Amino acid sequence: AQSVTQLGSHVSVSEGALVLLRCNYSSSVPPYLFWYVQYPNQGLQLLLKYTTGATLVKGINGFEAEFKKSETSFHLTKPSAHMSDAAEYFCAVSDRSNSGYALNFGKGTSLLVTP
Amino acid sequence: DTAVSQTPKYLVTQMGNDKSIKCEQNLGHDTMYWYKQDSKKFLKIMFSYNNKELIINETVPNRFSPKSPDKAHLNLHINSLELGDSAVYFCASSQGAGAYQPQHFGDGTRLSIL
């Protein structure tokens, strides 16, 4: 089964600083990887995805992630944090289940942005 | 327009009751899902339907029964509610059931069992 591990359940950065949220995957086949963001009391919003092709993926709100097969990683970055980036971030990998595919999520990383 | 909408948003009820959560999507997608998010925010797939056919049925108590009357709707009925059922339940949809299809989530239904 495909799985992801998010390192760091809580990350705190200053406004304007680099955001780096770590995700490592375990997969026996080429993975399809996703990053989602969850704001308080809301659903999950897709930030970006990696399927095939370019390994540097750009998403919404200035976020990007790089797929590194040699390191089995898909870390999420943003050059300059805004207060509005404070949220829960989930890395996910698509995994075969019965006759379909579902997302296997990491445990999430809570991002705190301080003034 | 809300793409994936769930009702109710909050559900507070007593142990032993039966309740339903409804989900509708207006994205024209053919695949829908139910996920459960526990108190530690861990998300886990429960069920998925593709064109009204059940394609994912994870190890979930049989008190939980999904129903898809059409491609745009997926409901979740829960019998004999237990304390451990307290969680946030998310509905999601995607175009196709492939591994690379991004899923679009509703805002969740927060179920609290007293």
Side-chain angles (χ1 to χ4, degrees), chain B residues 9-57:
Chain B
K9 191 173 177 67
Y10 299 96
L11 187 51
V12 182
T13 188
Q14 292 191 328
M15 255 191 338
N17 285 350
D18 304 338
K19 291 293 178 185
S20 291
I21 306 171
K22 295 187 176 184
C23 179
E24 175 182 5
Q25 54 91 8
N26 62 6
L27 296 167
H29 290 169
D30 58 6
T31 306
M32 296 184 73
Y33 312 78
W34 279 112
Y35 287 85
K36 178 180 180 180
Q37 186 175 46
D38 63 22
S39 59
K40 295 184 178 179
K41 298 205 171 181
F42 183 63
L43 283 143
K44 187 169 172 57
I45 183 70
M46 299 174 71
F47 304 102
S48 178
Y49 275 76
N50 174 254
N51 285 317
K52 301 194 298 175
E53 179 184 346
L54 182 66
I55 59 171
I56 295 178
N57 187 5

mmCIF file of all heavy atoms in Angstrom, chain B residues 9-57:
data_model
loop_
_atom_site.group_PDB
_atom_site.id
_atom_site.type_symbol
_atom_site.label_atom_id
_atom_site.label_comp_id
_atom_site.label_asym_id
_atom_site.label_seq_id
_atom_site.Cartn_x
_atom_site.Cartn_y
_atom_site.Cartn_z
ATOM 1 N N LYS B 9 -24.400 20.688 8.497
ATOM 2 C CA LYS B 9 -23.019 21.064 8.810
ATOM 3 C C LYS B 9 -22.643 20.580 10.207
ATOM 4 O O LYS B 9 -21.509 20.203 10.464
ATOM 5 C CB LYS B 9 -22.859 22.576 8.716
ATOM 6 C CG LYS B 9 -21.410 23.064 8.763
ATOM 7 C CD LYS B 9 -21.334 24.542 8.483
ATOM 8 C CE LYS B 9 -19.903 25.048 8.600
ATOM 9 N NZ LYS B 9 -19.021 24.530 7.562
ATOM 10 N N TYR B 10 -23.600 20.647 11.117
ATOM 11 C CA TYR B 10 -23.404 20.159 12.483
ATOM 12 C C TYR B 10 -24.523 19.195 12.818
ATOM 13 O O TYR B 10 -25.679 19.413 12.439
ATOM 14 C CB TYR B 10 -23.425 21.318 13.492
ATOM 15 C CG TYR B 10 -22.340 22.336 13.282
ATOM 16 C CD1 TYR B 10 -22.583 23.497 12.557
ATOM 17 C CD2 TYR B 10 -21.068 22.142 13.806
ATOM 18 C CE1 TYR B 10 -21.581 24.431 12.352
ATOM 19 C CE2 TYR B 10 -20.061 23.074 13.616
ATOM 20 C CZ TYR B 10 -20.335 24.221 12.878
ATOM 21 O OH TYR B 10 -19.333 25.143 12.685
ATOM 22 N N LEU B 11 -24.171 18.142 13.544
ATOM 23 C CA LEU B 11 -25.158 17.137 13.940
ATOM 24 C C LEU B 11 -24.818 16.689 15.355
ATOM 25 O O LEU B 11 -23.763 16.101 15.579
ATOM 26 C CB LEU B 11 -25.110 15.965 12.964
ATOM 27 C CG LEU B 11 -26.151 14.860 13.080
ATOM 28 C CD1 LEU B 11 -27.559 15.429 13.115
ATOM 29 C CD2 LEU B 11 -26.003 13.890 11.912
ATOM 30 N N VAL B 12 -25.687 17.024 16.287
ATOM 31 C CA VAL B 12 -25.510 16.631 17.677
ATOM 32 C C VAL B 12 -26.665 15.720 18.037
ATOM 33 O O VAL B 12 -27.821 16.087 17.877
ATOM 34 C CB VAL B 12 -25.499 17.852 18.620
ATOM 35 C CG1 VAL B 12 -25.272 17.403 20.068
ATOM 36 C CG2 VAL B 12 -24.418 18.846 18.194
ATOM 37 N N THR B 13 -26.339 14.527 18.525
ATOM 38 C CA THR B 13 -27.389 13.558 18.789
ATOM 39 C C THR B 13 -26.951 12.609 19.905
ATOM 40 O O THR B 13 -25.809 12.659 20.361
ATOM 41 C CB THR B 13 -27.722 12.773 17.509
ATOM 42 O OG1 THR B 13 -28.876 11.957 17.736
ATOM 43 C CG2 THR B 13 -26.554 11.889 17.085
ATOM 44 N N GLN B 14 -27.851 11.766 20.319
ATOM 45 C CA GLN B 14 -27.553 10.864 21.425
ATOM 46 C C GLN B 14 -27.168 9.482 20.918
ATOM 47 O O GLN B 14 -27.514 9.071 19.798
ATOM 48 C CB GLN B 14 -28.780 10.769 22.350
ATOM 49 C CG GLN B 14 -29.064 12.074 23.079
ATOM 50 C CD GLN B 14 -30.095 11.905 24.161
ATOM 51 O OE1 GLN B 14 -30.997 11.079 24.047
ATOM 52 N NE2 GLN B 14 -29.979 12.680 25.231
ATOM 53 N N MET B 15 -26.468 8.775 21.768
ATOM 54 C CA MET B 15 -26.099 7.384 21.488
ATOM 55 C C MET B 15 -27.327 6.571 21.168
ATOM 56 O O MET B 15 -28.377 6.737 21.802
ATOM 57 C CB MET B 15 -25.406 6.784 22.722
ATOM 58 C CG MET B 15 -23.926 6.648 22.566
ATOM 59 S SD MET B 15 -23.106 5.675 23.866
ATOM 60 C CE MET B 15 -24.165 5.698 25.219
ATOM 61 N N GLY B 16 -27.199 5.686 20.199
ATOM 62 C CA GLY B 16 -28.294 4.792 19.867
ATOM 63 C C GLY B 16 -29.209 5.305 18.770
ATOM 64 O O GLY B 16 -29.979 4.534 18.188
ATOM 65 N N ASN B 17 -29.128 6.607 18.484
ATOM 66 C CA ASN B 17 -29.970 7.170 17.425
ATOM 67 C C ASN B 17 -29.465 6.784 16.042
ATOM 68 O O ASN B 17 -28.323 6.354 15.863
ATOM 69 C CB ASN B 17 -30.034 8.691 17.543
ATOM 70 C CG ASN B 17 -30.923 9.150 18.676
ATOM 71 O OD1 ASN B 17 -31.638 8.352 19.274
ATOM 72 N ND2 ASN B 17 -30.865 10.436 19.009
ATOM 73 N N ASP B 18 -30.352 6.972 15.048
ATOM 74 C CA ASP B 18 -29.998 6.781 13.642
ATOM 75 C C ASP B 18 -30.008 8.143 12.968
ATOM 76 O O ASP B 18 -30.940 8.925 13.164
ATOM 77 C CB ASP B 18 -31.020 5.873 12.937
ATOM 78 C CG ASP B 18 -31.179 4.522 13.608
ATOM 79 O OD1 ASP B 18 -30.257 4.103 14.334
ATOM 80 O OD2 ASP B 18 -32.232 3.882 13.394
ATOM 81 N N LYS B 19 -28.986 8.411 12.159
ATOM 82 C CA LYS B 19 -28.917 9.710 11.484
ATOM 83 C C LYS B 19 -28.380 9.538 10.068
ATOM 84 O O LYS B 19 -27.699 8.555 9.756
ATOM 85 C CB LYS B 19 -27.990 10.678 12.243
ATOM 86 C CG LYS B 19 -28.540 11.138 13.584
ATOM 87 C CD LYS B 19 -29.782 12.008 13.392
ATOM 88 C CE LYS B 19 -30.358 12.434 14.741
ATOM 89 N NZ LYS B 19 -31.636 13.170 14.569
ATOM 90 N N SER B 20 -28.676 10.548 9.238
ATOM 91 C CA SER B 20 -28.184 10.556 7.862
ATOM 92 C C SER B 20 -27.479 11.861 7.547
ATOM 93 O O SER B 20 -27.858 12.914 8.073
ATOM 94 C CB SER B 20 -29.341 10.370 6.879
ATOM 95 O OG SER B 20 -29.874 9.080 6.964
ATOM 96 N N ILE B 21 -26.476 11.767 6.703
ATOM 97 C CA ILE B 21 -25.766 12.932 6.179
ATOM 98 C C ILE B 21 -25.918 12.893 4.662
ATOM 99 O O ILE B 21 -25.752 11.831 4.041
ATOM 100 C CB ILE B 21 -24.273 12.910 6.539
ATOM 101 C CG1 ILE B 21 -24.082 12.741 8.047
ATOM 102 C CG2 ILE B 21 -23.595 14.182 6.053
ATOM 103 C CD1 ILE B 21 -22.634 12.499 8.454
ATOM 104 N N LYS B 22 -26.212 14.074 4.089
ATOM 105 C CA LYS B 22 -26.405 14.116 2.651
ATOM 106 C C LYS B 22 -25.280 14.877 1.973
ATOM 107 O O LYS B 22 -24.718 15.822 2.540
ATOM 108 C CB LYS B 22 -27.747 14.773 2.334
ATOM 109 C CG LYS B 22 -28.937 13.975 2.834
ATOM 110 C CD LYS B 22 -30.248 14.553 2.352
ATOM 111 C CE LYS B 22 -31.397 13.662 2.790
ATOM 112 N NZ LYS B 22 -32.694 14.135 2.275
ATOM 113 N N CYS B 23 -24.976 14.476 0.760
ATOM 114 C CA CYS B 23 -23.935 15.142 -0.013
ATOM 115 C C CYS B 23 -24.392 15.278 -1.462
ATOM 116 O O CYS B 23 -24.926 14.331 -2.053
ATOM 117 C CB CYS B 23 -22.631 14.359 0.040
ATOM 118 S SG CYS B 23 -21.298 15.108 -0.924
ATOM 119 N N GLU B 24 -24.141 16.461 -2.005
ATOM 120 C CA GLU B 24 -24.480 16.723 -3.399
ATOM 121 C C GLU B 24 -23.341 17.473 -4.057
ATOM 122 O O GLU B 24 -22.739 18.359 -3.446
ATOM 123 C CB GLU B 24 -25.761 17.573 -3.470
ATOM 124 C CG GLU B 24 -26.141 17.995 -4.872
ATOM 125 C CD GLU B 24 -27.388 18.874 -4.897
ATOM 126 O OE1 GLU B 24 -27.903 19.230 -3.825
ATOM 127 O OE2 GLU B 24 -27.843 19.195 -6.010
ATOM 128 N N GLN B 25 -23.025 17.122 -5.294
ATOM 129 C CA GLN B 25 -22.001 17.864 -6.028
ATOM 130 C C GLN B 25 -22.570 18.324 -7.368
ATOM 131 O O GLN B 25 -23.310 17.588 -8.021
ATOM 132 C CB GLN B 25 -20.719 17.026 -6.200
ATOM 133 C CG GLN B 25 -20.885 15.657 -6.833
ATOM 134 C CD GLN B 25 -20.742 15.629 -8.335
ATOM 135 O OE1 GLN B 25 -20.369 16.617 -8.970
ATOM 136 N NE2 GLN B 25 -21.014 14.467 -8.937
ATOM 137 N N ASN B 26 -22.188 19.553 -7.740
ATOM 138 C CA ASN B 26 -22.683 20.127 -8.986
ATOM 139 C C ASN B 26 -21.559 20.306 -9.991
ATOM 140 O O ASN B 26 -21.628 21.174 -10.875
ATOM 141 C CB ASN B 26 -23.414 21.446 -8.726
ATOM 142 C CG ASN B 26 -22.510 22.506 -8.128
ATOM 143 O OD1 ASN B 26 -21.294 22.307 -8.010
ATOM 144 N ND2 ASN B 26 -23.074 23.640 -7.745
ATOM 145 N N LEU B 27 -20.513 19.484 -9.858
ATOM 146 C CA LEU B 27 -19.350 19.577 -10.739
ATOM 147 C C LEU B 27 -19.470 18.665 -11.954
ATOM 148 O O LEU B 27 -18.572 18.657 -12.801
ATOM 149 C CB LEU B 27 -18.083 19.215 -9.951
ATOM 150 C CG LEU B 27 -17.748 20.168 -8.800
ATOM 151 C CD1 LEU B 27 -16.691 19.556 -7.895
ATOM 152 C CD2 LEU B 27 -17.283 21.509 -9.353
ATOM 153 N N GLY B 28 -20.510 17.856 -11.981
ATOM 154 C CA GLY B 28 -20.651 16.909 -13.078
ATOM 155 C C GLY B 28 -19.743 15.694 -12.948
ATOM 156 O O GLY B 28 -19.530 14.969 -13.912
ATOM 157 N N HIS B 29 -19.199 15.481 -11.759
ATOM 158 C CA HIS B 29 -18.309 14.343 -11.529
ATOM 159 C C HIS B 29 -19.091 13.039 -11.449
ATOM 160 O O HIS B 29 -20.293 13.026 -11.174
ATOM 161 C CB HIS B 29 -17.534 14.544 -10.225
ATOM 162 C CG HIS B 29 -16.514 15.636 -10.316
ATOM 163 N ND1 HIS B 29 -15.864 16.127 -9.196
ATOM 164 C CD2 HIS B 29 -16.020 16.326 -11.368
ATOM 165 C CE1 HIS B 29 -15.013 17.075 -9.577
ATOM 166 N NE2 HIS B 29 -15.099 17.208 -10.892
ATOM 167 N N ASP B 30 -18.374 11.921 -11.672
ATOM 168 C CA ASP B 30 -19.052 10.624 -11.641
ATOM 169 C C ASP B 30 -18.594 9.758 -10.467
ATOM 170 O O ASP B 30 -19.062 8.633 -10.324
ATOM 171 C CB ASP B 30 -18.825 9.871 -12.952
ATOM 172 C CG ASP B 30 -17.347 9.639 -13.252
ATOM 173 O OD1 ASP B 30 -16.491 9.949 -12.394
ATOM 174 O OD2 ASP B 30 -17.050 9.166 -14.356
ATOM 175 N N THR B 31 -17.694 10.257 -9.653
ATOM 176 C CA THR B 31 -17.178 9.479 -8.534
ATOM 177 C C THR B 31 -17.284 10.298 -7.255
ATOM 178 O O THR B 31 -16.909 11.475 -7.234
ATOM 179 C CB THR B 31 -15.708 9.074 -8.773
ATOM 180 O OG1 THR B 31 -15.612 8.413 -10.041
ATOM 181 C CG2 THR B 31 -15.217 8.124 -7.691
ATOM 182 N N MET B 32 -17.788 9.667 -6.205
ATOM 183 C CA MET B 32 -17.949 10.359 -4.934
ATOM 184 C C MET B 32 -17.412 9.503 -3.790
ATOM 185 O O MET B 32 -17.334 8.268 -3.904
ATOM 186 C CB MET B 32 -19.418 10.709 -4.693
ATOM 187 C CG MET B 32 -19.951 11.703 -5.741
ATOM 188 S SD MET B 32 -21.631 12.246 -5.447
ATOM 189 C CE MET B 32 -21.426 13.350 -4.046
ATOM 190 N N TYR B 33 -17.036 10.161 -2.699
ATOM 191 C CA TYR B 33 -16.341 9.498 -1.592
ATOM 192 C C TYR B 33 -16.882 9.984 -0.247
ATOM 193 O O TYR B 33 -17.351 11.114 -0.134
ATOM 194 C CB TYR B 33 -14.839 9.830 -1.618
ATOM 195 C CG TYR B 33 -14.146 9.685 -2.946
ATOM 196 C CD1 TYR B 33 -14.271 10.650 -3.931
ATOM 197 C CD2 TYR B 33 -13.332 8.579 -3.203
ATOM 198 C CE1 TYR B 33 -13.617 10.528 -5.148
ATOM 199 C CE2 TYR B 33 -12.671 8.442 -4.413
ATOM 200 C CZ TYR B 33 -12.816 9.426 -5.387
ATOM 201 O OH TYR B 33 -12.164 9.301 -6.593
ATOM 202 N N TRP B 34 -16.711 9.134 0.767
ATOM 203 C CA TRP B 34 -16.867 9.550 2.152
ATOM 204 C C TRP B 34 -15.566 9.280 2.888
ATOM 205 O O TRP B 34 -15.012 8.178 2.803
ATOM 206 C CB TRP B 34 -17.992 8.791 2.863
ATOM 207 C CG TRP B 34 -19.361 9.313 2.592
ATOM 208 C CD1 TRP B 34 -20.353 8.690 1.905
ATOM 209 C CD2 TRP B 34 -19.897 10.570 3.012
ATOM 210 N NE1 TRP B 34 -21.467 9.489 1.861
ATOM 211 C CE2 TRP B 34 -21.216 10.652 2.530
ATOM 212 C CE3 TRP B 34 -19.394 11.658 3.737
ATOM 213 C CZ2 TRP B 34 -22.034 11.760 2.749
ATOM 214 C CZ3 TRP B 34 -20.199 12.754 3.956
ATOM 215 C CH2 TRP B 34 -21.515 12.806 3.469
ATOM 216 N N TYR B 35 -15.081 10.322 3.593
ATOM 217 C CA TYR B 35 -13.909 10.213 4.445
ATOM 218 C C TYR B 35 -14.318 10.560 5.878
ATOM 219 O O TYR B 35 -15.206 11.370 6.090
ATOM 220 C CB TYR B 35 -12.809 11.188 4.019
ATOM 221 C CG TYR B 35 -12.074 10.826 2.756
ATOM 222 C CD1 TYR B 35 -12.572 11.175 1.509
ATOM 223 C CD2 TYR B 35 -10.861 10.149 2.819
ATOM 224 C CE1 TYR B 35 -11.889 10.854 0.356
ATOM 225 C CE2 TYR B 35 -10.159 9.825 1.661
ATOM 226 C CZ TYR B 35 -10.679 10.184 0.429
ATOM 227 O OH TYR B 35 -9.990 9.865 -0.715
ATOM 228 N N LYS B 36 -13.596 9.980 6.835
ATOM 229 C CA LYS B 36 -13.814 10.301 8.242
ATOM 230 C C LYS B 36 -12.548 10.956 8.786
ATOM 231 O O LYS B 36 -11.439 10.441 8.569
ATOM 232 C CB LYS B 36 -14.131 9.029 9.038
ATOM 233 C CG LYS B 36 -14.328 9.260 10.534
ATOM 234 C CD LYS B 36 -14.632 7.949 11.251
ATOM 235 C CE LYS B 36 -14.833 8.160 12.741
ATOM 236 N NZ LYS B 36 -15.124 6.872 13.453
ATOM 237 N N GLN B 37 -12.715 12.093 9.460
ATOM 238 C CA GLN B 37 -11.584 12.770 10.114
ATOM 239 C C GLN B 37 -11.776 12.696 11.621
ATOM 240 O O GLN B 37 -12.744 13.232 12.157
ATOM 241 C CB GLN B 37 -11.469 14.218 9.663
ATOM 242 C CG GLN B 37 -10.220 14.923 10.202
ATOM 243 C CD GLN B 37 -10.049 16.333 9.659
ATOM 244 O OE1 GLN B 37 -10.988 17.117 9.614
ATOM 245 N NE2 GLN B 37 -8.833 16.661 9.242
ATOM 246 N N ASP B 38 -10.833 12.047 12.296
ATOM 247 C CA ASP B 38 -10.996 11.861 13.732
ATOM 248 C C ASP B 38 -10.521 13.090 14.505
ATOM 249 O O ASP B 38 -10.134 14.110 13.922
ATOM 250 C CB ASP B 38 -10.282 10.588 14.200
ATOM 251 C CG ASP B 38 -8.776 10.636 13.997
ATOM 252 O OD1 ASP B 38 -8.205 11.743 13.892
ATOM 253 O OD2 ASP B 38 -8.158 9.564 13.955
ATOM 254 N N SER B 39 -10.538 12.963 15.818
ATOM 255 C CA SER B 39 -10.216 14.113 16.682
ATOM 256 C C SER B 39 -8.769 14.560 16.551
ATOM 257 O O SER B 39 -8.424 15.687 16.894
ATOM 258 C CB SER B 39 -10.515 13.769 18.139
ATOM 259 O OG SER B 39 -9.761 12.646 18.526
ATOM 260 N N LYS B 40 -7.914 13.683 16.027
ATOM 261 C CA LYS B 40 -6.519 14.053 15.786
ATOM 262 C C LYS B 40 -6.288 14.515 14.357
ATOM 263 O O LYS B 40 -5.153 14.635 13.905
ATOM 264 C CB LYS B 40 -5.605 12.867 16.112
ATOM 265 C CG LYS B 40 -5.635 12.488 17.573
ATOM 266 C CD LYS B 40 -4.652 11.378 17.891
ATOM 267 C CE LYS B 40 -4.689 11.064 19.382
ATOM 268 N NZ LYS B 40 -3.771 9.966 19.746
ATOM 269 N N LYS B 41 -7.392 14.750 13.655
ATOM 270 C CA LYS B 41 -7.392 15.265 12.288
ATOM 271 C C LYS B 41 -6.904 14.246 11.256
ATOM 272 O O LYS B 41 -6.560 14.636 10.137
ATOM 273 C CB LYS B 41 -6.585 16.577 12.180
ATOM 274 C CG LYS B 41 -7.166 17.689 13.039
ATOM 275 C CD LYS B 41 -6.808 19.048 12.539
ATOM 276 C CE LYS B 41 -7.584 20.115 13.296
ATOM 277 N NZ LYS B 41 -7.298 21.466 12.832
ATOM 278 N N PHE B 42 -6.853 12.974 11.628
ATOM 279 C CA PHE B 42 -6.448 11.953 10.667
ATOM 280 C C PHE B 42 -7.623 11.612 9.768
ATOM 281 O O PHE B 42 -8.723 11.334 10.248
ATOM 282 C CB PHE B 42 -5.942 10.705 11.397
ATOM 283 C CG PHE B 42 -5.450 9.648 10.471
ATOM 284 C CD1 PHE B 42 -4.366 9.875 9.641
ATOM 285 C CD2 PHE B 42 -6.080 8.419 10.405
ATOM 286 C CE1 PHE B 42 -3.916 8.901 8.769
ATOM 287 C CE2 PHE B 42 -5.634 7.439 9.539
ATOM 288 C CZ PHE B 42 -4.554 7.669 8.726
ATOM 289 N N LEU B 43 -7.375 11.628 8.460
ATOM 290 C CA LEU B 43 -8.419 11.365 7.463
ATOM 291 C C LEU B 43 -8.292 9.955 6.926
ATOM 292 O O LEU B 43 -7.203 9.514 6.552
ATOM 293 C CB LEU B 43 -8.267 12.326 6.293
ATOM 294 C CG LEU B 43 -8.756 13.743 6.538
ATOM 295 C CD1 LEU B 43 -7.864 14.741 5.845
ATOM 296 C CD2 LEU B 43 -10.193 13.876 6.030
ATOM 297 N N LYS B 44 -9.461 9.273 6.813
ATOM 298 C CA LYS B 44 -9.432 7.907 6.311
ATOM 299 C C LYS B 44 -10.636 7.670 5.412
ATOM 300 O O LYS B 44 -11.757 8.058 5.719
ATOM 301 C CB LYS B 44 -9.443 6.921 7.469
ATOM 302 C CG LYS B 44 -9.237 5.465 7.031
ATOM 303 C CD LYS B 44 -8.978 4.567 8.213
ATOM 304 C CE LYS B 44 -8.973 3.097 7.798
ATOM 305 N NZ LYS B 44 -7.991 2.826 6.748
ATOM 306 N N ILE B 45 -10.392 7.002 4.285
ATOM 307 C CA ILE B 45 -11.461 6.691 3.348
ATOM 308 C C ILE B 45 -12.425 5.687 3.970
ATOM 309 O O ILE B 45 -12.018 4.777 4.708
ATOM 310 C CB ILE B 45 -10.881 6.135 2.030
ATOM 311 C CG1 ILE B 45 -11.989 5.861 1.000
ATOM 312 C CG2 ILE B 45 -10.058 4.886 2.282
ATOM 313 C CD1 ILE B 45 -12.625 7.094 0.446
ATOM 314 N N MET B 46 -13.710 5.884 3.680
ATOM 315 C CA MET B 46 -14.719 4.931 4.111
ATOM 316 C C MET B 46 -15.319 4.221 2.898
ATOM 317 O O MET B 46 -15.305 3.002 2.800
ATOM 318 C CB MET B 46 -15.830 5.649 4.882
ATOM 319 C CG MET B 46 -15.365 6.356 6.142
ATOM 320 S SD MET B 46 -16.696 7.312 6.893
ATOM 321 C CE MET B 46 -17.748 6.014 7.518
ATOM 322 N N PHE B 47 -15.888 5.003 1.988
ATOM 323 C CA PHE B 47 -16.583 4.439 0.827
ATOM 324 C C PHE B 47 -16.318 5.306 -0.405
ATOM 325 O O PHE B 47 -15.989 6.473 -0.298
ATOM 326 C CB PHE B 47 -18.110 4.427 1.041
ATOM 327 C CG PHE B 47 -18.576 3.717 2.270
ATOM 328 C CD1 PHE B 47 -18.966 4.429 3.397
ATOM 329 C CD2 PHE B 47 -18.646 2.331 2.294
ATOM 330 C CE1 PHE B 47 -19.407 3.780 4.535
ATOM 331 C CE2 PHE B 47 -19.095 1.674 3.424
ATOM 332 C CZ PHE B 47 -19.466 2.399 4.543
ATOM 333 N N SER B 48 -16.553 4.679 -1.577
ATOM 334 C CA SER B 48 -16.550 5.436 -2.817
ATOM 335 C C SER B 48 -17.515 4.794 -3.806
ATOM 336 O O SER B 48 -17.653 3.572 -3.847
ATOM 337 C CB SER B 48 -15.149 5.500 -3.431
ATOM 338 O OG SER B 48 -15.191 6.201 -4.663
ATOM 339 N N TYR B 49 -18.177 5.651 -4.574
ATOM 340 C CA TYR B 49 -19.089 5.212 -5.629
ATOM 341 C C TYR B 49 -18.642 5.813 -6.954
ATOM 342 O O TYR B 49 -18.265 6.985 -7.025
ATOM 343 C CB TYR B 49 -20.517 5.686 -5.340
ATOM 344 C CG TYR B 49 -21.309 4.797 -4.439
ATOM 345 C CD1 TYR B 49 -21.067 4.786 -3.065
ATOM 346 C CD2 TYR B 49 -22.295 3.952 -4.929
ATOM 347 C CE1 TYR B 49 -21.791 3.954 -2.219
ATOM 348 C CE2 TYR B 49 -23.030 3.135 -4.092
ATOM 349 C CZ TYR B 49 -22.767 3.140 -2.737
ATOM 350 O OH TYR B 49 -23.494 2.316 -1.901
ATOM 351 N N ASN B 50 -18.719 5.010 -7.987
ATOM 352 C CA ASN B 50 -18.464 5.468 -9.340
ATOM 353 C C ASN B 50 -19.687 5.144 -10.178
ATOM 354 O O ASN B 50 -20.064 3.968 -10.286
ATOM 355 C CB ASN B 50 -17.205 4.808 -9.920
ATOM 356 C CG ASN B 50 -16.994 5.141 -11.384
ATOM 357 O OD1 ASN B 50 -17.208 4.307 -12.260
ATOM 358 N ND2 ASN B 50 -16.586 6.354 -11.654
ATOM 359 N N ASN B 51 -20.327 6.160 -10.734
ATOM 360 C CA ASN B 51 -21.559 5.951 -11.504
ATOM 361 C C ASN B 51 -22.568 5.110 -10.735
ATOM 362 O O ASN B 51 -23.135 4.139 -11.269
ATOM 363 C CB ASN B 51 -21.259 5.296 -12.856
ATOM 364 C CG ASN B 51 -20.666 6.280 -13.830
ATOM 365 O OD1 ASN B 51 -21.109 7.419 -13.940
ATOM 366 N ND2 ASN B 51 -19.621 5.857 -14.516
ATOM 367 N N LYS B 52 -22.758 5.434 -9.480
ATOM 368 C CA LYS B 52 -23.716 4.800 -8.571
ATOM 369 C C LYS B 52 -23.312 3.389 -8.162
ATOM 370 O O LYS B 52 -24.071 2.704 -7.478
ATOM 371 C CB LYS B 52 -25.123 4.771 -9.182
ATOM 372 C CG LYS B 52 -25.688 6.129 -9.532
ATOM 373 C CD LYS B 52 -27.168 6.078 -9.809
ATOM 374 C CE LYS B 52 -27.512 5.217 -10.988
ATOM 375 N NZ LYS B 52 -28.972 5.075 -11.186
ATOM 376 N N GLU B 53 -22.130 2.948 -8.545
ATOM 377 C CA GLU B 53 -21.687 1.610 -8.161
ATOM 378 C C GLU B 53 -20.638 1.712 -7.054
ATOM 379 O O GLU B 53 -19.684 2.487 -7.166
ATOM 380 C CB GLU B 53 -21.091 0.887 -9.363
ATOM 381 C CG GLU B 53 -20.584 -0.516 -9.044
ATOM 382 C CD GLU B 53 -19.914 -1.167 -10.243
ATOM 383 O OE1 GLU B 53 -20.083 -0.653 -11.365
ATOM 384 O OE2 GLU B 53 -19.217 -2.183 -10.052
ATOM 385 N N LEU B 54 -20.784 0.918 -6.003
ATOM 386 C CA LEU B 54 -19.841 0.926 -4.888
ATOM 387 C C LEU B 54 -18.516 0.335 -5.342
ATOM 388 O O LEU B 54 -18.456 -0.813 -5.785
ATOM 389 C CB LEU B 54 -20.416 0.103 -3.726
ATOM 390 C CG LEU B 54 -19.572 0.036 -2.460
ATOM 391 C CD1 LEU B 54 -19.462 1.404 -1.801
ATOM 392 C CD2 LEU B 54 -20.173 -0.980 -1.476
ATOM 393 N N ILE B 55 -17.428 1.118 -5.252
ATOM 394 C CA ILE B 55 -16.126 0.621 -5.687
ATOM 395 C C ILE B 55 -15.111 0.551 -4.557
ATOM 396 O O ILE B 55 -14.094 -0.119 -4.675
ATOM 397 C CB ILE B 55 -15.549 1.472 -6.848
ATOM 398 C CG1 ILE B 55 -15.396 2.943 -6.434
ATOM 399 C CG2 ILE B 55 -16.402 1.327 -8.092
ATOM 400 C CD1 ILE B 55 -14.629 3.781 -7.449
ATOM 401 N N ILE B 56 -15.351 1.263 -3.484
ATOM 402 C CA ILE B 56 -14.478 1.195 -2.318
ATOM 403 C C ILE B 56 -15.362 0.999 -1.093
ATOM 404 O O ILE B 56 -16.305 1.756 -0.872
ATOM 405 C CB ILE B 56 -13.624 2.464 -2.136
ATOM 406 C CG1 ILE B 56 -12.642 2.619 -3.288
ATOM 407 C CG2 ILE B 56 -12.872 2.409 -0.802
ATOM 408 C CD1 ILE B 56 -11.806 3.878 -3.211
ATOM 409 N N ASN B 57 -15.034 -0.012 -0.325
ATOM 410 C CA ASN B 57 -15.796 -0.318 0.885
ATOM 411 C C ASN B 57 -14.780 -0.742 1.930
ATOM 412 O O ASN B 57 -14.459 -1.925 2.044
ATOM 413 C CB ASN B 57 -16.816 -1.421 0.594
ATOM 414 C CG ASN B 57 -17.735 -1.665 1.768
ATOM 415 O OD1 ASN B 57 -17.687 -0.962 2.773
ATOM 416 N ND2 ASN B 57 -18.582 -2.659 1.654
#
